[in-house]
RNA sequence: GCCCAUGUAGUCCAACUGGUAGUAGACAGAGGACUUAAAAUCCUUACAGUGCCGGUUCGAAUCCGGCCAUGGGCACCA
């Protein structure tokens, strides 16, 4: 049905129109956001990227989701804040510095420039004047200022932590740098080592962090559950064992005091003082502790490792029975949890059972349940207490209370609320992070850097050898004088965990130029709502941040509130966690990761397909799909796709291909479909521009077309407007795009040309609905249709419920739950009429004859289910 | 190992949250039209499926229990 007009239309060339409109938006400053009391505000935020240098498809997904919302809300009349920046500190820059001899700052800033270039090609509607870069002093300086406020509030302290120590490189390793118990660079076996460390007192806020989850109805339930489990509030008994052969008592915490009579041994962490004591006269114990240390600090590794123990000469005296319980040093007990020691009840705990079986320790059943044999498998459920003189016959809860009361009365223990959450260790022995603004003085101790001397900046002339901490190794940087006594002193050489940078960036976006860390007025405008919930109105980011980043940012908000910077409790009023984009990774025999674009699939002799390197032809190992990451190179830069299809196609495709929360295995297979759709939209609009002259002030609703085709088309248009509205509000962007495709299918039917005015209205509505998803082509076509105001400054279309209303529905007739007939009935049918119609439905008759009707279930607008006896 | 999710045609996904499983929408396939031919475009169209086992219900893709597979997190990757 190509009309001459459509044939004459210019070809859709994204490479021409996309830069044109990007320039137009920039010239109009269309996305600039400043406080405006006359408009409701809307703050859309996407998680800021780590500038690896490659913008991959996961970013494209994240930022397109946010951009649809930002553009939609602008069209709805909101004053929209939509900023972007760079989480620019972190390990990869330092690794690159060691590998390529480039300075981390040079490497990082080159990466941000490259990523910003690509980001601009996508037409995301950011106000770039709000950009922050966390590795620059104008960001981390204010952060140091806030850090000192937190210190003054008592929320920062020095403590000790266990770290992965690489004895060859003399450096602390991140968990990801430990591979099979060895340092990834040096290959040396790691040692778990205790180090002085900076902490933030997040545990002060444990109760509030838990309680306030209830104030976040617009967060995904799964994220709240994960945070709740992470906080891990539990009620239990902390008590002490007297120890034979030791002058101190052994403190343990248990959530199962009811099983106290079932305790048959104790287990202590390899770093426990009693373990160290035992090691003094026992070389075997020393070896065991050293060996346990090789597991490193990662919980996963410790949990999965074979449970091992070493018996000490000490015994703990059971507080109720006086029994002597052997004390084992155990590789699965960690000093950083609770007291670093546990009572072990093998009959009713999985790990204890495995341990007891291995070392042939007694297993004493104290909770009985039918059909359970605790000698074979532990039983952790409810039951009746046995073998426990004080509490025999009780249930678990009563028994817990009784034991706690007894311990408190006799003074050997007390009931206690325990949290799984530990304080946040924020110090890093690395160069590429915000310097912790403190000075160590021999006489005055640890002294904060005076605020007027901030920022404490990183030195530029640094050697990156991979050995030790570059800041500590720098010849002059750390030497300074004490701000209190003016004596010679040294700077702290630890830098901050990069999670610190991302814990408050959403506030600094609102006032990137402010001399104070935060401009209270601006923060107040953008972060609070006269009615409704305070915080970022919609935060969007990957599910991988469900716990750490989001918990730290929540903590920071509460801490800054208590320091007087903020007036609200929670940073993010609503949260959308997009699913991961995952992809296979490809590895050469040498272990190098190859980008998917470099991979070619060829048929091998046995008929199966195998992966080969495109240029070298070398066979590649295909690894299972996982999160696209910079270390695995399993995501291509979308540059190539952009050049072939344009930004609008990519945006539309990524929205269309799956609902936002769902994980997505990357495949380009369906991208052609999105491109085809835009081409059809292009051709239709050019046809409409010539066929259907513009009648500026006639709205479709008032026009009420007379003919049937026109009326049906008008209905479809208004149903689509309604659906797109609903879908955007619910983030169902995939079905939103599908609805637009449906409308286009109707608009391109030959019959649509019989109602030119409706056809034009429909095309215009479609352009407006698609604008948030595909902003460039819709702007261009809007202009082609004769409009002079940009779409990004045009209000959202309204739908008319009268026009959208259906007048007939399909009524399904079931007999005993089985589909037997479909009837077409008027939309406003009553229940009685519907049941009557169902009983008379011809196709249902054979199922109803000689049957006695029991009841009729009516679901309005849907079905009637007739049940028989 | 522990915590949290997910599982529907050959593929990606719909299914108004317990009510017609697909004339939701696409990709791929087949056939046709147009073309000297190809690409592009348009038209027509087959196939078949709720991971497995059990339960609740008039009715289950949807709720419950168990299992399997996949993904995310596990505190120094971000």
């Amino acid at each position: 049905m190509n009309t001459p007009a459509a044939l004459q239309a210019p070809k859709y060339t994204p490479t021409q129109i996309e830069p044109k409109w990007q320039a137009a938006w920039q010239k109009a400053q269309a996305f600039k956001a400043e406080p405006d009391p006359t408009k409701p505000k809307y703050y859309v935020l996407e998680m800021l990227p780590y500038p690896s240098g490659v913008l991959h498809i996961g970013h494209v997904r994240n930022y397109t989701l946010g951009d649809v919302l930002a553009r939609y809300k602008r069209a709805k009349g909101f004053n929209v804040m939509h900023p972007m920046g760079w989480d620019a500190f972190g390990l990869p820059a330092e690794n690159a510095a060691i590998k390529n001899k480039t300075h981390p700052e040079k490497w990082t800033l080159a990466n941000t420039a490259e990523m910003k270039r690509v980001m601009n090609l996508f037409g995301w509607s950011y106000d770039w004047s709000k950009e922050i870069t966390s590795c620059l002093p104008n960001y981390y300086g204010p952060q140091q200022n806030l850090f000192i406020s937190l210190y003054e509030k008592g929320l920062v302290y020095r403590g000790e932590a266990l770290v992965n120590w690489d004895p060859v490189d003399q450096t602390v390793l991140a968990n990801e740098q430990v591979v099979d118990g060895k340092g990834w660079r040096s290959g040396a076996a790691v040692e778990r080592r205790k180090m002085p460390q900076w902490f933030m007192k997040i545990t002060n806020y444990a109760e509030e962090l838990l309680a306030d989850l209830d104030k976040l109805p617009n967060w995904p339930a799964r994220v709240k559950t994960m945070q709740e489990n992470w906080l891990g509030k539990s009620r239990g008994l902390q008590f002490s064992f007297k120890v034979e052969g030791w002058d101190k008592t052994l403190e343990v915490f248990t959530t199962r005091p009811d099983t106290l009579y079932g305790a048959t041994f104790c287990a202590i962490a390899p770093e426990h003082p009693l373990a160290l004591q035992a090691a003094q006269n026992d070389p075997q114990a020393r070896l065991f502790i050293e060996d346990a240390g090789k597991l490193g600090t990662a919980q996963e590794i410790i949990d999965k490792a074979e449970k091992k123990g070493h018996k000490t000469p000490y015994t703990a005296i059971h507080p109720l029975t006086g029994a002597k319980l052997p004390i084992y040093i155990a590789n699965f007990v960690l000093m950083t949890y609770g007291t670093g020691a546990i009572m072990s009840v093998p009959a009713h705990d999985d790990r204890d059972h495995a341990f007891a079986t291995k070392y042939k320790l007694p297993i004493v059943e104290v909770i009985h349940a039918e059909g359970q044999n605790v000698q074979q498998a532990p039983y952790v459920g409810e039951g009746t207490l046995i073998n426990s003189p004080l509490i025999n016959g009780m249930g678990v809860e009563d028994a817990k209370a009784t034991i706690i009361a007894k311990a408190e009365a006799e003074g050997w223990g007390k009931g206690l609320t325990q949290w799984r959450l530990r304080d946040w260790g924020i110090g890093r022995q690395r160069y590429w992070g915000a310097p912790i603004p403190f000075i160590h003085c021999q006489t005055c101790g640890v002294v904060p850097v005076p605020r007027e001397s901030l920022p404490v900046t990183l030195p530029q002339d640094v050697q990156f050898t991979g050995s030790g901490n570059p800041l500590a190794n720098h010849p002059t940087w750390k030497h300074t004088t004490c701000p209190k006594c003016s004596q010679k002193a040294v700077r702290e050489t630890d830098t901050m965990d990069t999670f610190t940078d991302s814990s408050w960036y959403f506030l600094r976006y609102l006032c990137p130029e402010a001399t104070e860390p935060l401009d209270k007025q601006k923060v107040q405008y953008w972060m609070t709502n006269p009615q409704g919930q305070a915080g970022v109105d919609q935060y969007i980011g990957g599910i991988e941040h469900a716990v750490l980043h989001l918990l730290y940012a929540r903590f920071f908000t509460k801490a800054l509130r208590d320091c007087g910077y903020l007036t609200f409790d929670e940073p993010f009023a609503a949260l959308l966690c997009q699913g991961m984009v995952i992809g296979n990774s490809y590895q050469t025999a040498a272990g190098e990761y190859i980008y998917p674009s470099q991979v070619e699939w060829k048929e091998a002799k046995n008929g199966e397909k195998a992966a080969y390197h495109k240029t070298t032809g070398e066979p590649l190992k295909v690894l299972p799909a996982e999160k696209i990451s910079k270390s695995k190179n399993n995501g291509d830069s979308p540059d190539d796709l952009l050049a072939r299809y344009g930004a609008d196609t990519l945006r539309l495709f990524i929205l269309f291909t799956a609902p936002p929360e769902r994980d997505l295995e990357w495949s380009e297979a369906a991208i052609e479909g999105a491109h085809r759709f835009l081409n059809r939209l292009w051709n239709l609009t050019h046809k409409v521009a010539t066929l259907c002259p513009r009648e500026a002030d006639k709205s479709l609703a008032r026009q009420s077309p007379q003919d049937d085709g026109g009326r049906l088309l008008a209905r479809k248009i208004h149903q689509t407007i309604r659906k797109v509205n609903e879908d955007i509000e619910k983030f169902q962007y995939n079905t939103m795009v599908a609805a637009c495709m449906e409308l286009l299918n109707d608009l391109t039917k030959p019959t649509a040309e019989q109602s030119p005015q409706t056809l034009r209205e429909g095309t215009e509505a479609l352009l407006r609905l698609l604008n948030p998803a595909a902003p460039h082509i819709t702007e261009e076509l809007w202009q082609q249709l004769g409009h002079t105001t940009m779409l990004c400054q045009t209000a959202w279309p309204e739908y008319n419920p009268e026009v959208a209303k259906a007048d007939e529905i399909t009524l399904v007739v079931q007999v005993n739950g089985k589909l037997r007939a479909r009837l077409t009935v008027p939309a406003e049918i009553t229940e009685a009429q519907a049941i009557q119609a169902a009983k008379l439905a011809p196709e249902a008759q054979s199922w109803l004859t000689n049957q006695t009707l029991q009841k009729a279930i009516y679901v309005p607008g849907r079905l009637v289910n007739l049940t028989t006896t």
Side-chain angles (χ1 to χ4, degrees), chain A residues 75-94:
Chain A
K76 283 270 189 175
F78 287 88
N79 185 23
V80 171
M81 168 62 77
H82 190 211
M84 185 42 71
W86 311 99
D87 189 14
F89 274 136
L91 263 185
E94 216 158 322

Side-chain angles (χ1 to χ4, degrees), chain A residues 299-331:
Chain A
Q299 191 63 47
E300 182 189 355
I301 306 289
I302 292 166
D303 279 348
K304 280 188 182 165
E306 189 194 351
K307 312 283 173 279
K308 285 189 200 166
H310 179 84
K311 194 173 178 182
T312 70
Y314 308 107
T315 51
I317 309 299
H318 194 290
L320 294 175
T321 65
K324 292 184 179 180
L325 311 180
I327 298 176
Y328 280 79
I329 307 169
N331 66 351

Side-chain angles (χ1 to χ4, degrees), chain A residues 170-187:
Chain A
Q170 295 286 299
T171 183
V172 178
L173 297 177
N175 285 330
E176 101 165 341
Q177 296 176 307
V178 179
V179 180
D180 295 333
K182 300 189 173 61
W184 68 350
R185 229 185 312 267
S186 70

Side-chain angles (χ1 to χ4, degrees), chain A residues 45-51 55 59 63 82-88 112 115-116 119 126-128 130-135 139 505-506 509:
Chain A
L45 179 68
E46 296 119 43
M47 290 181 184
L48 84 178
Y50 177 81
L55 189 89
H59 294 122
Y63 303 148
H82 190 211
M84 185 42 71
W86 311 99
D87 189 14
T112 59
M115 286 175 79
K116 192 171 174 180
M119 288 171 95
Y126 296 121
D127 176 357
W128 281 106
K130 304 296 186 287
E131 177 180 7
I132 60 110
T133 305
S134 67
C135 66
Y139 184 79
Y505 75 104
F506 49 92
Y509 275 148

Side-chain angles (χ1 to χ4, degrees), chain A residues 331-600:
Chain A
N331 66 351
F332 60 87
V333 181
L334 251 194
M335 200 54 214
T336 41
Y337 280 115
T339 61
I342 58 170
M343 73 166 196
S344 294
V345 185
H348 306 292
D349 180 276
D350 289 317
R351 286 189 315 191
D352 295 348
H353 194 277
F355 193 89
T357 308
K358 183 177 171 105
Y359 292 101
K360 302 197 167 49
L361 294 160
I363 297 170
V364 177
E365 180 181 32
V366 292
I367 293 173
H368 185 69
E370 213 45 50
Q372 299 296 329
N373 180 351
V374 298
Q375 299 304 321
Q376 273 158 24
Y379 175 69
V380 297
E382 289 285 323
T384 308
L385 271 291
I386 57 168
N387 295 328
S388 307
L390 202 62
I391 47 179
N392 275 334
M394 285 186 187
V396 166
E397 285 312 307
D398 287 348
K400 281 182 182 173
T402 308
I403 294 292
I404 289 171
K406 168 103 173 160
E408 287 179 345
E410 294 179 358
W412 48 268
K414 64 177 187 173
L416 196 61
T417 297
Q418 178 90 355
W419 297 83
R420 205 184 78 97
L421 179 72
R422 313 198 296 257
D423 271 339
W424 177 12
I426 60 127
R428 299 289 182 270
Q429 293 70 49
R430 298 189 217 293
Y431 169 81
W432 197 230
I436 292 178
F438 280 81
I439 289 165
H440 299 271
C441 169
Q442 289 231 316
T443 39
C444 307
V446 179
V447 184
V449 172
R451 284 196 163 81
E452 57 273 18
S453 309
L454 296 179
V456 177
T457 55
L458 291 165
Q460 291 291 322
D461 51 332
V462 179
Q463 297 293 312
F464 296 96
T465 59
S467 173
N469 174 359
L471 276 185
N473 293 347
H474 191 278
T476 56
W477 181 80
K478 66 182 170 192
H479 299 293
T480 183
T481 53
C482 173
K484 270 192 186 165
C485 68
S486 303
Q487 304 265 332
K488 275 191 180 173
V490 290
R491 289 189 186 284
E492 173 60 57
T493 58
D494 278 11
T495 51
M496 294 184 210
D497 177 9
T498 55
F499 275 124
T500 319
D501 312 337
S502 55
S503 288
W504 73 288
Y505 75 104
F506 49 92
L507 300 169
R508 187 69 186 176
Y509 275 148
L510 308 175
C511 49
E513 316 288 336
T515 46
E516 291 297 303
L518 295 170
D519 177 327
K520 281 189 186 176
Q521 278 189 338
K522 287 185 173 170
V523 170
Q524 195 69 14
Y525 174 81
W526 289 111
M527 290 294 285
T528 62
N529 280 309
Q531 302 91 20
Q533 205 162 355
V536 171
D537 294 276
Q538 185 65 53
Y539 194 28
I540 305 171
I543 185 67
E544 73 272 27
H545 295 291
V547 176
L548 291 180
H549 160 61
L550 288 166
L551 194 68
Y552 291 141
R554 292 182 62 217
F555 156 65
F556 231 78
T557 301
K558 293 171 191 300
L560 291 181
R561 174 201 63 196
D562 291 345
C563 291
Y565 289 100
L566 306 175
T567 61
F568 46 89
D569 305 322
E570 286 287 338
F572 313 122
L575 175 68
L576 172 67
C577 281
Q578 66 184 88
M580 308 264 65
V581 179
I582 59 178
N584 295 106
S585 49
Y586 304 90
Q587 211 176 17
T588 63
E592 196 187 345
Y593 287 99
I594 303 301
Y595 282 107
S597 57
Q598 294 302 305
V599 175
E600 191 174 20

Side-chain angles (χ1 to χ4, degrees), chain A residues 213-228:
Chain A
L213 287 174
D214 288 340
K215 293 188 196 162
L216 299 171
N218 294 316
W219 276 42
R222 59 172 162 159
V223 173
K224 290 191 277 187
T225 307
M226 280 188 257
Q227 293 211 353
E228 191 180 327

Side-chain angles (χ1 to χ4, degrees), chain A residues 139-151:
Chain A
Y139 184 79
Y140 71 72
Q143 181 167 307
Q144 290 168 336
N145 192 328
L146 294 177
F147 190 80
I148 291 169
S149 295
L150 296 175
Y151 173 79

